[in-house]
Amino acid sequence: MIGLLAAAAVGVWRYAPFQADGAVGSHAGPVVVPVMLAPVRTGTVTEAVDAVGTTRAREAVTITAKTTGILDKIEFEDGQTVAAGAPIIRLDSAELEATVSSAEAELRNARLSLDRGETLSKSRNMAQAQVDTLRSDLEVKTAAVAAQKARLAERVIVAPFAGTLGIRQVSQGALVSPGTAIVTLDDLSRVKVDFNLPEVLLSRLAPGVALEVRSDAYPDRTFTATITSIDTRIDPATRSVITVAEVDNRDNLLRPGMFMTVRVQLSTNPTALLVAEQALVPQGSRQFVYLVVDGRAVRREVTLGTRLRGEVQILSGLATGDAVVVEGTQRLRDGVPVQVQEAGTSPAAS
């Protein structure tokens, strides 16, 4: 009886195969793991960073009066495009016009007096000192006329640069004074976009770098912009730098104050190595892939770059022409025999 039990025990022990991680089968030795491969391909990878920004006009000003006066005439319509130097409003100037006329009359009289004095001086009937006094009086009268004309010119408010006027803030007949807002003027031929970028990118930013901006107001359109300036200071709270880009706005679609999404293209690599994302086997902070060499799985560590949709850039560890395992990686160990399946055959089902 004891012998039979011992024999049965031996038979049971001989029947149970040893298996460790699926590497040894019951009778046929190591288990062959079915896998599917995908080649390492070459593609274009663009490294970019996203940010949000706000638009503002290339030039912007609020038109105000230089002096106090009654608004006599409005020379524009809301939203009108004006040239540099075009009149915006005119203040009542009747009193100043009279003052200018009086100053011009005094100037003419001073000029006549000097002419007579110089004639008399030639015939020695007037001392040279008196002629010099008359000449000095003429210069004073000339300056007085110029001053009065300058004050008269201030009664006409003109556009300091070409642009588009906003909505009028005053009415004809109103009393305006320095600081009274009359209308806004914006140069919208080009629009500036202000946005912040991390300081770690500072060495890769420079005027002339191209970028793309988008607005929710035009979801199907992308605007091309160019960096024009970078702030000289880093914000110590956010560790970011203010960057300014300009957008060609000849279509007059963008307005100051709009919310914009910005994408800055830092670099483009047309020969980047790409593999399918499912080929990656993470282990802690390291990444591995499996290749097939002489019918066995070979684990290789790789360095990742930019992640794309369904793919990832490989910076080191692989070369063009390599093929990596994309299905069946869960059962693989370094050195395990594998069987490469044709496309359309599921390794899991095998």
Side-chain angles (χ1 to χ4, degrees):
M1 185 63 175
I2 295 175
L4 292 175
L5 293 175
V10 171
V12 172
W13 177 81
R14 287 179 177 174
Y15 177 77
F18 173 73
Q19 294 186 4
D21 295 329
V24 181
S26 56
H27 297 289
V31 173
V32 178
V33 180
V35 297
M36 189 174 292
L37 303 181
V40 177
R41 77 176 188 92
T42 300
T44 300
V45 172
T46 299
E47 185 182 1
V49 61
D50 294 331
V52 295
T54 303
T55 58
R56 59 185 174 94
R58 186 181 188 183
E59 301 291 347
V61 68
T62 299
I63 304 295
T64 62
K66 295 181 179 180
T67 184
T68 302
I70 302 297
L71 202 162
D72 184 55
K73 188 176 182 181
I74 298 173
E75 299 278 3
F76 69 94
E77 298 291 337
D78 293 353
Q80 179 180 340
T81 299
V82 295
I88 303 297
I89 64 167
R90 299 179 187 273
L91 302 180
D92 178 42
S93 58
E95 182 178 352
L96 274 179
E97 289 173 355
T99 303
V100 170
S101 298
S102 176
E104 289 176 338
E106 292 181 2
L107 176 62
R108 288 192 296 270
N109 185 48
R111 184 174 290 111
L112 291 174
S113 297
L114 177 60
D115 292 342
R116 287 194 298 267
E118 289 177 342
T119 301
L120 292 175
S121 175
K122 291 177 181 179
S123 60
R124 300 183 181 277
N125 291 321
M126 178 175 287
Q128 185 61 40
Q130 290 179 300
V131 174
D132 293 341
T133 300
L134 292 174
R135 184 174 291 107
S136 176
D137 183 61
L138 176 65
E139 293 174 353
V140 171
K141 295 297 192 297
T142 301
V145 170
Q148 294 301 329
K149 286 185 176 181
R151 292 181 58 194
L152 181 62
E154 291 178 352
R155 312 297 284 186
V156 181
I157 311 302
V158 300
F161 53 82
T164 304
L165 296 170
I167 298 176
R168 177 164 51 91
Q169 303 295 318
V170 292
S171 298
Q172 188 166 344
L175 177 66
V176 298
S177 57
T180 302
I182 298 171
V183 68
T184 59
L185 175 64
D186 297 308
D187 179 4
L188 300 178
S189 59
R190 297 186 66 84
V191 172
K192 293 183 178 182
V193 181
D194 298 337
F195 56 98
N196 291 335
L197 290 177
E199 64 172 313
V200 295
L201 301 176
L202 190 60
S203 62
R204 308 177 68 179
L205 300 176
V209 173
L211 51 89
E212 295 178 347
V213 294
R214 298 177 66 92
S215 170
D216 291 339
Y218 309 101
D220 298 328
R221 177 157 183 174
T222 299
F223 299 89
T224 301
T226 304
I227 293 179
T228 56
S229 58
I230 302 168
D231 199 1
T232 57
R233 297 184 179 184
I234 303 295
D235 188 338
T238 61
R239 302 300 178 188
S240 62
V241 60
I242 298 176
T243 309
V244 181
E246 280 194 6
V247 184
D248 188 348
N249 193 39
R250 67 184 66 185
D251 295 336
N252 203 31
L253 298 178
L254 302 179
R255 297 287 188 273
M258 294 179 69
F259 176 85
M260 308 292 288
T261 56
V262 182
R263 167 157 290 192
V264 184
Q265 181 175 312
L266 300 175
S267 64
T268 300
N269 182 1
T271 59
L273 298 181
L274 301 173
V275 299
E277 205 166 24
Q278 61 264 36
L280 299 178
V281 180
Q283 182 176 341
S285 60
R286 304 163 69 187
Q287 295 283 348
F288 297 86
V289 297
Y290 281 100
L291 293 84
V292 176
V293 179
D294 296 332
R296 292 184 176 273
V298 176
R299 191 177 72 160
R300 185 175 296 177
E301 185 174 2
V302 294
T303 303
L304 304 185
T306 302
R307 287 184 179 269
L308 307 177
R309 181 176 299 178
E311 292 182 305
V312 62
Q313 180 187 10
I314 302 298
L315 300 180
S316 65
L318 294 175
T320 305
D322 289 340
V324 296
V325 177
V326 293
E327 292 190 34
T329 56
Q330 296 84 353
R331 302 177 58 191
L332 289 184
R333 299 293 184 271
D334 199 18
V336 169
V338 299
Q339 180 183 6
V340 178
Q341 302 292 307
E342 297 294 333
T345 303
S346 171
S350 300

